[in-house]
Amino acid sequence: EIVLTQSPGTLSLSAGERATLSCRASQSISSSYLAWYQQRPGQAPRLLIYGAFNTATGIPDRFSGSGSGTDFTLSISRLEPEDFAEYYCLLFSSSHTWTFGQGTKVDIK
Amino acid sequence: QLQLQESGPGLVKPSETLSLTCTVSGGSISSSRYYWGWIRQPPGKGLEWVGDIYYTGSTYFNPSLKSRVSISVDISKNQFSLEVTSVTAADTAVYYCARLDYYGVRTFDYWGRGTLVTVAS
């Protein structure tokens, strides 16, 4: 079973700053099945990035994904007020199971 | 625009069965491109995949829940449903239904708003 570890648990930043979120897999994975989601309080998760670096429809270009192997990153180039939220990575494994990371909260410094 | 809507009881007694339905509108549940899934989130905690189903009825479950979970599909109603048996307080969560674009973006791309199910006597 592959485990996804997100870091940091909480990221305290100011609007306009750059955010860098990490998702590390316990073994090498295919980037084709690594996605990132944003979840605002009281809302359903929203797909941001799929295939590790492809931006989903309607997502602003300040969001970007990168990485390969075991280390993946979600970057937000300049934080807007609506970006302060929880972020999750999600992996599909060959046994047809889905694993979420435990989440990173981006809050206002 | 695709929409998913969860429905079902908000309160279930311990040891009983939790039953939820997801109604899909704006698209066909029998499209060969998609699976349909359930994800849950206990209050204040992270997301957990529960399982998903293909329109043919093929199902996949989280190994930690497999013995208590079933998912079914009703193509005529454009719905799919979740059952969790022998529930405990640990099953209290917001339950989301979602579309899995298996052959496209290869992840869950559309989600319902979620429904809170509380397990309590």
Side-chain angles (χ1 to χ4, degrees), chain A residues 32-33 35 37 39 42-45 47 49-51 88 90 92 95-98 100-102, chain B residues 35 39 41 45-49 52 60-61 63 96 100 102 105-109 111-113:
Chain A
S32 297
Y33 295 106
Y37 291 83
Q39 187 178 33
Q43 296 187 15
L47 177 63
I49 303 289
Y50 64 93
Y88 294 92
L90 172 63
F92 176 72
S95 55
H96 198 123
T97 58
W98 295 86
F100 286 94
Q102 82 277 22
Chain B
Y35 285 68
I39 298 99
Q41 184 172 36
K45 296 187 178 180
L47 298 162
E48 179 182 42
W49 170 70
D52 52 66
Y60 301 89
F61 300 112
Y96 297 99
L100 168 55
Y102 189 82
V105 299
R106 300 181 179 179
T107 191
F108 296 97
D109 58 350
W111 295 60
R113 293 187 173 185

Side-chain angles (χ1 to χ4, degrees), chain A residues 10-56:
Chain A
T10 301
L11 192 54
S12 297
L13 295 169
S14 301
E17 289 191 297
R18 180 181 184 86
T20 302
L21 288 67
S22 171
C23 177
R24 176 165 292 178
S26 56
Q27 58 187 270
S28 185
I29 64 173
S30 168
S31 61
S32 297
Y33 295 106
L34 193 285
W36 288 93
Y37 291 83
Q38 176 193 67
Q39 187 178 33
R40 296 172 178 147
Q43 296 187 15
R46 177 173 72 143
L47 177 63
L48 298 176
I49 303 289
Y50 64 93
F53 51 82
N54 300 290
T55 307

Side-chain angles (χ1 to χ4, degrees), chain B residues 35-110:
Chain B
Y35 285 68
W36 304 90
W38 290 95
I39 298 99
R40 71 180 187 178
Q41 184 172 36
K45 296 187 178 180
L47 298 162
E48 179 182 42
W49 170 70
V50 175
D52 52 66
I53 189 166
Y54 197 49
Y55 77 98
T56 58
S58 296
T59 52
Y60 301 89
F61 300 112
N62 187 320
S64 68
L65 298 170
K66 189 173 183 177
S67 63
R68 298 192 296 123
V69 172
S70 63
I71 300 176
S72 59
V73 63
D74 187 333
I75 294 175
S76 66
K77 295 182 178 178
N78 228 33
Q79 296 176 334
F80 61 106
S81 298
L82 170 72
E83 286 197 342
V84 182
T85 62
S86 305
V87 297
T88 69
D91 295 306
T92 294
V94 174
Y95 285 76
Y96 297 99
C97 60
R99 185 181 80 174
L100 168 55
D101 185 7
Y102 189 82
Y103 297 105
V105 299
R106 300 181 179 179
T107 191
F108 296 97
D109 58 350
Y110 280 89

